[in-house]
Amino acid sequence: MADRTTFRFPGYDQNPFAERKCLLSLLAAYSRQWNPRNLEAPWYEAWSQILANLVASHPSLSVAPQPYLWYDPTSEPHTTPGLPHLLSTHDEQNDSDDDVQDDVGNTTLDSIDSISVPSHRNRSRIPDLAITRRVSFLRSDNDSQIMFLDRRITYVGFPLLAELKPSGARSRDVSTSLINAIKPMYLAREELFKQGYHLLQMYPHQQSVVLLAISGFWWSYFIYHRAFMESHYDSSPIERDDEEEDGEEDLERDTRLPVQNGIHTALSQDLLDSNETPNEVLQQHLYGFPLTALRGNIPQDVSFHTVLPEGEVRLAPPGLWSDFLLYGTAPSNQVLSLILDRLHSVVHVHYNGSMG
């Protein structure tokens, strides 16, 4: 459909079993029998598959679990490859330029500290998941007997970072489920801001990154832009990690986090106030439940993301958290298709590295 409510992941079309595998992973993570302590780790499998199926049609995009966003602030930051190195998804050019750095790296003794176990202050620099973009070249002088070493990686970018939290107390009631996801969602957002800050320090040429905060089936997104970082932080937010260590298990909302943008709240309220049966049938089709089910004790600054109407099918502007999205619903399909569009531009041949 033109409104993208029935968007299917490219991976689902490429592999007839991918959608079922993803569903089973979600159900196992949610299960009281197979995840009795409601731990975070079982959700990694499900969301890794979701993101992998989203970017399945791009060879240079992949999902990385817990990538180590390390860099030495005293050394040269990462730089984007020159224009001849910015390739399309086919990446079929030869490594013929002299300015491409050797991919072996520093293996001398003075690099030992860089591979040691990270301190607590560095933990927030390890997102749970990331979508990476890798630029590669065929070596012009390959002397390796291992056949796949005829290609070298010249650049690794991060257009998307994701932080996962458990689902909150499990409930079959959608309103209660949303309420229970609020606290872990806010904690994920706080950690993502630190990771986004660190990433843009690593890559001075990068101007923005997509942040995904996830709690079980619920998720929201934020376009973290360099202008937002520079206007909100006089110093690194990571410096506050040690102070917050004791309170990390308390999922109360952090007051430094901006409230959700309330986008499409009016549309949601119009549907909530409607008693017309056709609307309820449509809502059941789009969301799996009538929007009247969301009445209750939901905080005023928390909104469920409804379907983007015609003419407004676009991502939220940078600097604003989206409303809460429920995976598998029509609004979630719309937004994931828009995020994929953004990722399409990342692998474009003329892309300059500003989005990872």
Side-chain angles (χ1 to χ4, degrees):
M1 292 178 62
D3 62 6
R4 307 183 185 221
T5 55
T6 58
F7 166 73
R8 281 179 56 80
F9 294 176
Y12 291 170
D13 293 329
Q14 294 176 14
N15 182 350
F17 304 112
E19 190 169 9
R20 172 58 68 90
K21 289 181 177 181
C22 185
L23 173 60
L24 295 178
S25 297
L26 286 167
L27 293 176
Y30 186 76
S31 168
R32 286 187 173 88
Q33 179 179 1
W34 304 113
N35 186 14
R37 296 176 58 196
N38 195 21
L39 299 178
E40 173 182 313
W43 292 96
Y44 291 1
E45 178 185 347
W47 279 95
S48 293
Q49 291 187 48
I50 290 171
L51 296 179
N53 283 307
L54 182 66
V55 299
S57 61
H58 290 290
S60 59
L61 295 177
S62 59
V63 177
Q66 297 188 323
Y68 190 18
L69 303 183
W70 179 89
Y71 85 108
D72 182 356
T74 63
S75 64
E76 289 295 322
H78 296 291
T79 57
T80 182
L83 288 179
H85 305 247
L86 293 177
L87 306 179
S88 67
T89 55
H90 299 293
D91 293 346
E92 295 297 341
Q93 289 190 17
N94 289 326
D95 171 18
S96 57
D97 295 316
D98 296 331
D99 60 341
V100 181
Q101 292 182 341
D102 186 4
D103 57 345
V104 175
N106 181 6
T107 58
T108 57
L109 289 176
D110 64 354
S111 68
I112 294 298
D113 288 342
S114 70
I115 58 174
S116 60
V117 177
S119 66
H120 172 74
R121 183 165 296 189
N122 288 335
R123 290 176 190 167
S124 65
R125 304 178 191 184
I126 306 178
D128 289 328
L129 296 171
I131 290 179
T132 62
R133 167 184 176 255
R134 296 182 174 92
V135 177
S136 65
F137 289 84
L138 290 172
R139 295 178 183 272
S140 56
D141 55 348
N142 179 40
D143 58 358
S144 173
Q145 295 179 337
I146 303 175
M147 60 181 180
F148 52 79
L149 293 182
D150 63 347
R151 182 174 289 277
R152 68 188 299 180
I153 301 295
T154 59
Y155 183 75
V156 177
F158 295 87
L160 184 148
L161 303 178
E163 186 68 22
L164 278 73
K165 297 300 174 189
S167 62
R170 286 166 285 207
S171 174
R172 292 180 177 272
D173 178 76
V174 66
S175 182
T176 304
S177 177
L178 172 58
I179 292 171
N180 293 343
I182 293 173
K183 290 182 179 180
M185 186 79 79
Y186 281 131
L187 180 59
R189 292 177 174 184
E190 161 106 10
E191 294 180 10
L192 282 165
F193 276 176
K194 297 172 186 175
Q195 294 158 11
Y197 179 97
H198 184 71
L199 180 71
L200 296 192
Q201 297 300 312
M202 288 177 60
Y203 292 88
H205 63 276
Q206 187 167 344
Q207 296 301 310
S208 62
V209 59
V210 179
L211 305 179
L212 260 59
I214 301 167
S215 173
F217 300 120
W218 296 93
W219 66 284
S220 61
Y221 70 94
F222 186 95
I223 309 299
Y224 189 91
H225 202 276
R226 185 172 294 276
F228 173 87
M229 177 188 76
E230 293 172 348
S231 64
H232 283 71
Y233 296 114
D234 295 328
S235 61
S236 170
I238 299 171
E239 295 175 358
R240 292 188 286 266
D241 279 0
D242 292 333
E243 301 173 4
E244 297 167 357
E245 182 173 5
D246 295 335
E248 195 164 281
E249 294 303 318
D250 182 4
L251 302 183
E252 290 294 338
R253 177 181 170 195
D254 191 291
T255 56
R256 290 170 299 182
L257 292 173
V259 298
Q260 295 190 108
N261 60 6
I263 192 170
H264 312 309
T265 300
L267 173 64
S268 174
Q269 191 60 47
D270 288 343
L271 293 174
L272 283 172
D273 292 341
S274 174
N275 293 320
E276 297 179 10
T277 302
N279 257 348
E280 291 190 359
V281 173
L282 176 61
Q283 293 165 22
Q284 186 74 34
H285 172 71
L286 294 173
Y287 311 116
F289 53 87
L291 289 178
T292 53
L294 290 172
R295 294 186 189 274
N297 298 320
I298 300 175
Q300 291 185 350
D301 64 340
V302 174
S303 299
F304 173 70
H305 199 308
T306 54
V307 170
L308 296 168
E310 185 177 357
E312 296 185 32
V313 183
R314 55 182 176 269
L315 292 175
L320 295 171
W321 277 106
S322 74
D323 293 335
F324 280 50
L325 290 140
L326 180 59
Y327 175 75
T329 61
S332 178
N333 292 339
Q334 285 182 309
V335 174
L336 286 171
S337 75
L338 293 169
I339 290 175
L340 181 59
D341 283 350
R342 179 183 168 98
L343 295 174
H344 275 308
S345 65
V346 169
V347 297
H348 191 274
V349 67
H350 298 303
Y351 170 65
N352 62 5
S354 63
M355 295 188 295

